[in-house]
């Protein structure tokens, strides 16, 4: 992939042709024409987000259109996804968290499909961009914070007041708790985008090495191994994002430690 | 958007050779576009899931649960019926067995009675016949004895007459009687 793009104009300068452009895959470019990227421009990001939406519709709507008592292949996957997220919300956030299950399901389905679609060669990984993950994480953060204050009012602040700790320690703990609370969206978003970006960039670096005949078999093996790892990461990061959302939701619903 | 360094590229984040300058993730001019389309995508997924997919899957799962529950109940019912039928069968079998035993017992007693009756009758008949036969034998013996006396007396008379002795008949009879008894 990397070698293709460098073929034309990367020849000048380097003699061996060993040029790495691991970050080129993350460039956002318009799908039609060569103009700039405006707010409403249809870009490759638009395309791959739309594909994720179509995949969600395909799995969750078309896959279940049979409404079989004995599910088919696609329907059982859809039911598996439903049961997986539902159980996660119920177990982590509690019975009263089930009300917010559609929101969490939306996040999970989008992230998991964006991650897996990004693994298709030449694809654009929408979730590798901070712009995307920060919006997701901020949405969770704002939703959870507002929900906490709406549900408990000022008592929501008890989340930062560790009643079980010795009185002398409580103010210090409160400062730490507040800091950790506001760091949540940062870690929440960077974890997802960072994992995907790093994995995809490493695959590109290995692909760059494939240009040298002597190491290309090792390079291909390494790409294969990384790809397997990336499949794992694609699911695990979606899972981690979702379960952390459930944990934050639990804090908003039950702020007492 | 206007940049001095890139003449051919439309973006500040892409170099003249088409490769990225720095991390594309940190390129400010792409943020708005991605956020816009992301929100659109999320809203679309949310509506599809909330309005169509999730209620449908929930209904499917509930229906399946209902089917399983009712099937289990039906199976339980059928099992109870089968057990009941088995109990009835066992009961009928036991009744039939005891009935058969009773009938056999009765029949046996009846046959025994009949055999006993026949035997008694036969015994009585045998006894009667035996008595009759004995009586006849006794009669025969008595008549034979009488005949023997007569024959002996007649013979003795004839012998005596043949010897030329004119003997008294009564004396001869007495002598014969005496011989016979002796």
């Amino acid at each position: 992939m990397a070698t293709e793009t460098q073929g034309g104009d990367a020849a000048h300068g380097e003699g061996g042709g060993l040029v790495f452009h691991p970050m080129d895959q993350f460039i956002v470019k318009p799908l039609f024409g060569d103009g700039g990227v405006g707010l409403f421009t249809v870009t490759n990001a638009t395309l791959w987000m739309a594909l994720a939406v179509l995949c969600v519709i395909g799995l969750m709507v078309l896959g279940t259109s049979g409404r079989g008592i004995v599910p088919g292949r696609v329907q059982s996957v859809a039911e598996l996804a439903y049961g997986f997220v539902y159980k996660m919300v119920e177990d982590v956030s509690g019975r009263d968290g089930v009300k917010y299950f559609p929101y969490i399901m939306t996040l999970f389905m989008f992230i998991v499909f964006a991650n897996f679609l990004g693994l298709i060669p030449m694809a654009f990984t929408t979730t590798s961009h901070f712009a995307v993950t920060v919006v997701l994480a901020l949405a969770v953060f704002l939703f959870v914070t507002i929900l906490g204050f709406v549900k408990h009012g000022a008592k929501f602040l008890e989340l930062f007041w560790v009643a079980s700790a010795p009185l002398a320690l409580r103010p210090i703990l409160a400062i730490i708790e507040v800091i950790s609370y506001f760091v949540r969206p940062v870690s929440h978003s960077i974890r997802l985008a960072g994992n995907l970006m790093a994995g995809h960039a490493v695959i590109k670096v290995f692909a760059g090495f494939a240009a040298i005949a002597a190491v290309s078999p090792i390079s291909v093996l390494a790409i294969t191994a990384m790809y397997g790892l990336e499949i794992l990461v694609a699911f695990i990061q979606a899972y981690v994002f979702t379960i952390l959302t459930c944990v934050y939701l639990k804090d908003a619903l039950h702020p007492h430690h | 958007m206007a940049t001095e360094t890139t003449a051919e590229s439309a973006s500040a984040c892409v170099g003249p050779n088409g490769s990225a300058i720095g991390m594309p993730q940190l390129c400010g001019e792409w943020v708005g576009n991605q956020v816009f389309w992301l929100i659109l995508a999320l809203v679309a997924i949310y509506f599809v899931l909330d309005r169509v997919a999730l209620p449908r899957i929930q209904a499917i799962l509930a229906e399946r649960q209902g089917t399983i529950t009712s099937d289990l109940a039906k199976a339980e019912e059928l099992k109870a019926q089968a057990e009941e039928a088995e109990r009835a069968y066992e009961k009928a079998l036991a009744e039939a067995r005891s009935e058969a035993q009773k009938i056999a017992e009765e029949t046996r007693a009846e046959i025994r009675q009949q055999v006993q009756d026949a035997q008694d009758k036969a015994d009585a008949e045998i006894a009667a016949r035996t008595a009759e036969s004995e009586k006849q034998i006794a009669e025969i013996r008595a008549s034979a004895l009488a005949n023997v006396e007569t024959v002996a007396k007649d013979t003795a008379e004839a012998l005596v007459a043949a010897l030329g002795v004119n003997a008294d008949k009564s004396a001869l009879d007495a002598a014969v009687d005496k011989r016979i008894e002796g």
Side-chain angles (χ1 to χ4, degrees):
Chain A
M1 290 172 246
T3 43
E4 279 171 36
T5 52
Q6 75 201 23
D9 45 4
H12 63 85
E14 282 92 346
L18 189 65
V19 189
F20 301 112
H21 295 293
M23 303 310 272
D24 283 6
Q25 58 179 324
F26 303 120
I27 292 175
V28 177
K29 44 184 170 285
L31 222 50
F32 313 104
D34 291 325
V37 176
L39 187 58
F40 306 119
T41 315
V42 177
T43 58
N44 49 356
T46 314
L47 171 69
W48 290 97
M49 284 181 194
L51 284 176
V53 173
L54 289 180
C55 283
V56 173
I57 293 172
L59 175 66
M60 303 301 283
V61 177
L62 303 182
T64 58
S65 56
R67 297 163 186 263
I69 291 293
V70 180
R73 267 179 295 183
V74 183
Q75 192 187 320
S76 51
V77 172
E79 285 173 9
L80 205 69
Y82 180 97
F84 177 72
V85 178
Y86 190 92
K87 197 168 166 358
M88 198 195 305
V89 175
E90 198 177 32
D91 288 353
V92 178
S93 307
R95 289 288 320 158
D96 43 354
V98 167
K99 205 163 42 168
Y100 309 101
F101 164 65
Y103 301 107
I104 293 169
M105 189 70 181
T106 304
L107 287 177
F108 178 77
M109 293 312 286
F110 175 75
I111 295 171
V112 87
F113 272 112
N115 287 357
F116 275 109
L117 285 172
L119 282 174
I120 298 171
M122 308 301 289
F124 176 80
T125 318
T126 51
T127 40
S128 68
H129 271 266
F130 295 131
V132 169
T133 58
V134 165
V135 169
L136 294 173
L138 266 184
V140 170
F141 179 77
L142 291 176
F143 177 75
V144 156
T145 308
I146 292 167
L147 182 73
F149 277 112
V150 167
K151 281 241 166 191
H152 305 280
K155 280 196 162 187
F156 179 58
L157 294 173
E158 283 177 15
L159 180 64
F160 308 115
W161 196 250
V162 187
S164 56
L167 191 61
L169 277 177
R170 280 181 212 173
I172 303 163
L173 282 176
I175 294 168
I176 296 172
E177 288 281 334
V178 169
I179 292 171
S180 85
Y181 189 81
F182 282 99
V183 167
R184 275 176 181 186
V186 179
S187 65
H188 205 188
S189 57
I190 290 182
R191 182 181 301 112
L192 176 59
N195 267 288
L196 288 160
M197 180 182 71
H200 285 247
V202 166
I203 289 181
K204 273 282 150 81
V205 170
F206 282 133
F209 275 116
I212 307 172
V215 294
S216 62
I218 303 166
S219 166
V220 169
L221 274 178
I223 291 172
T224 314
M226 273 309 291
Y227 196 86
L229 186 70
E230 281 305 289
I231 288 174
L232 212 66
V233 166
F235 178 75
I236 288 173
Q237 286 308 318
Y239 172 68
V240 165
F241 193 96
T242 316
I243 204 162
L244 280 173
T245 305
C246 292
V247 170
Y248 300 160
L249 181 63
K250 189 210 78 184
D251 280 348
L253 295 172
H254 316 281
H256 320 285
H257 285 275
Chain B
M1 204 176 281
T3 45
E4 305 91 330
T5 48
T6 56
E8 30 188 313
S9 177
S11 167
C13 309
V14 178
N17 57 356
S19 66
I21 300 169
M23 272 172 70
Q25 279 83 355
L26 299 179
C27 181
E29 65 185 67
W30 294 336
V31 169
N33 180 271
Q34 292 187 81
V35 170
F36 169 73
W37 289 111
L38 171 69
I39 290 169
L40 218 60
L42 288 179
V43 169
I45 293 176
Y46 174 75
F47 275 102
V48 165
L49 288 182
D50 193 51
R51 296 290 147 87
V52 186
L54 300 184
R56 183 187 290 174
I57 294 176
Q58 194 178 11
I60 291 169
L61 293 179
E63 196 182 341
R64 179 174 311 148
Q65 196 56 47
T67 309
I68 290 170
T69 312
S70 76
D71 279 2
L72 280 179
K74 210 179 283 171
E76 197 69 35
E77 200 179 306
L78 287 175
K79 197 183 160 198
Q81 277 180 13
E83 273 172 3
E84 201 177 318
E86 201 193 332
R87 264 200 303 280
Y89 165 76
E90 293 279 356
K91 203 175 142 201
L93 197 67
E95 269 174 16
R97 203 170 277 156
S98 71
E99 186 80 9
Q101 211 154 0
K102 214 172 93 189
I103 290 170
E105 199 61 49
E106 274 173 13
T107 312
R108 207 173 289 146
E110 204 175 310
I111 289 169
R112 203 179 286 142
Q113 188 62 45
Q114 282 176 3
V115 169
Q116 192 66 45
D117 286 354
Q119 207 165 350
D120 287 354
K121 214 169 123 192
D123 281 354
E125 204 168 316
I126 288 164
R129 284 207 191 152
T130 310
E132 201 177 327
S133 304
E134 272 171 5
K135 210 173 103 194
Q136 279 177 1
I137 289 165
E139 271 172 22
I140 291 166
R141 189 179 284 160
S143 69
L145 265 169
N147 288 347
V148 166
E149 244 179 72
T150 320
V151 168
K153 281 171 189 166
D154 287 351
T155 311
E157 225 169 296
L159 274 171
V160 170
L163 287 171
V165 180
N166 206 353
D168 185 30
K169 197 177 174 347
S170 57
L172 263 174
D173 286 353
V176 170
D177 282 341
K178 204 176 175 183
R179 269 300 197 201
I180 287 170
E181 276 161 31

